[in-house]
Amino acid sequence: MPSQGFRDWLAAGKPYALIRPARALQRNLKRHGLTVYDYPDDDHLEANTPEDHTPFSVTGWPSANARWKARGLDVMPRNDSRAARKENADIARQLIRDRDAGVPGVAWIKYINWTDESGTCRQERWMPAHTTRSSTDKGHIHVSGRSDADDDPRAEDYDPIARMDGDRGMSVHSDSILEAWRLGAPKAADGSEIEPVKWRIRDEAWQRSITAALAGAAADAKSARIAIEALVAAINAGGGSVDAAAIIAHVDALAAAERDRELQLLAEVAELRAELAAARAVAEAQLSPAERAALPPH
């Protein structure tokens, strides 16, 4: 049966406002092409105990939630591939690390539900200390906000994917590209990998080259940000008035577009490499052992 809060919400004309830090995280994740839901579906709205997706949640902490403020997000994987599920889990891990480390941009988070690569779903709570328990809210990252953080401005520039990129050489993206390559690895007639040792060596070498290249791009972006902030500080100190955030946002948008183009090219290269390897494997299968032994190494 729908709650009294739901009936009050209907009578009030269905007011709805997502709290500021949740809007910021949603916006920053969407810039990476992710789907991030906030508005409640009918199951949320008509639940006996309405929770944080609704603007009449009764699960506020550390105090009651203000009406008509919603404070729940669902960060969805890009698709159902293993790489996409890993990316989603890695985003959750970054949120958890940052929340534990006291990063201001995630201080508003009350709890998250997330699913790891093996399908295990957990809830990480900071109410107030960090505790972990099992959850059934599988397949995405659910983020719920505290009741005392409705207007917290500190999440405006918080981007967990950018933080992963800077901390780990953008490996979340290279993992996704390498996943496409692995799926194209040549197989023998019995389904086993052809030359598994050589394939693994090539795979690892290529991963190192991608990671190094993308880490360099991340370092360049960080250097550009530092230079812009220093220049703006000097201008403002001299009596000027320049908005560093607007300039950095524009530069970040250009950098993101360029990075997307580079990743697309890398994905296309991975696909071509996989197709060539598979074609060579098929051709080699038709050769005699002596002819195969005479082939140059690859």
Side-chain angles (χ1 to χ4, degrees):
M1 177 182 295
S3 66
Q4 183 61 49
F6 175 69
R7 292 191 288 272
D8 293 345
W9 179 68
L10 291 178
K14 300 183 179 180
Y16 178 90
L18 189 62
I19 63 171
R20 178 175 178 176
R23 287 199 315 272
L25 179 60
Q26 181 185 56
R27 179 185 66 249
N28 294 337
L29 288 172
K30 281 185 172 182
R31 287 174 177 166
H32 295 279
L34 292 171
T35 297
V36 184
Y37 294 118
D38 64 286
Y39 198 84
D41 60 15
D42 288 345
D43 287 342
H44 285 113
L45 291 170
E46 299 178 15
N48 291 331
T49 304
E51 298 186 280
D52 291 337
H53 275 295
T54 71
F56 44 88
S57 167
V58 297
T59 59
W61 188 90
S63 57
N65 287 332
R67 289 184 170 181
W68 304 103
K69 302 289 184 66
R71 59 198 69 244
L73 297 176
D74 285 340
V75 183
M76 311 305 295
R78 297 179 192 276
N79 51 55
D80 194 38
S81 69
R82 186 174 68 178
R85 293 194 297 273
K86 181 182 187 307
E87 179 188 42
N88 202 249
D90 283 345
I91 293 170
R93 293 184 180 106
Q94 186 68 45
L95 292 170
I96 295 165
R97 282 195 297 271
D98 287 344
R99 187 68 173 84
D100 284 342
V103 173
V106 290
W108 65 279
I109 294 178
K110 176 175 65 175
Y111 72 84
I112 72 169
N113 302 328
W114 69 291
T115 305
D116 68 15
E117 294 86 342
S118 67
T120 301
C121 185
R122 303 178 181 87
Q123 182 178 97
E124 313 287 344
R125 300 159 58 93
W126 294 269
M127 301 169 62
H130 182 188
T131 59
T132 302
R133 63 185 188 180
S134 63
S135 173
T136 59
D137 189 22
K138 289 189 171 185
H140 60 281
I141 306 168
H142 170 79
V143 184
S144 274
R146 295 168 56 107
S147 62
D148 57 358
D150 292 3
D151 300 309
D152 191 332
R154 294 176 294 173
E156 291 299 318
D157 295 324
Y158 176 80
D159 183 340
I161 293 180
R163 290 178 65 79
M164 289 192 301
D165 291 348
D167 292 344
R168 302 184 303 154
M170 301 177 71
S171 62
V172 66
H173 296 298
S174 59
D175 285 348
S176 299
I177 297 168
L178 287 164
E179 176 68 11
W181 188 11
R182 291 188 185 101
L183 292 175
K187 300 292 191 297
D190 62 0
S192 62
E193 285 189 4
I194 295 174
E195 301 181 277
V197 174
K198 283 189 177 181
W199 182 265
R200 184 166 59 252
I201 291 170
R202 290 199 303 272
D203 190 357
E204 291 170 353
W206 195 56
Q207 181 171 13
R208 286 195 298 273
S209 67
I210 289 176
T211 299
L214 294 180
D220 289 344
K222 184 176 181 180
S223 297
R225 178 185 289 266
I226 292 171
I228 291 168
E229 290 174 344
L231 178 60
V232 168
I235 293 172
N236 290 343
S241 179
V242 179
D243 183 1
I247 298 173
I248 289 172
H250 181 66
V251 171
D252 285 348
L254 293 175
E258 182 62 26
R259 183 177 62 193
D260 288 343
R261 285 192 292 272
E262 291 173 356
L263 291 172
Q264 180 62 36
L265 288 173
L266 287 169
E268 291 172 2
V269 169
E271 185 177 356
L272 289 172
R273 290 175 70 110
E275 290 175 359
L276 288 170
R280 174 165 181 157
V282 171
E284 288 181 2
Q286 311 302 317
L287 300 177
S288 68
E291 290 172 324
R292 192 176 298 116
L295 290 174
H298 64 95

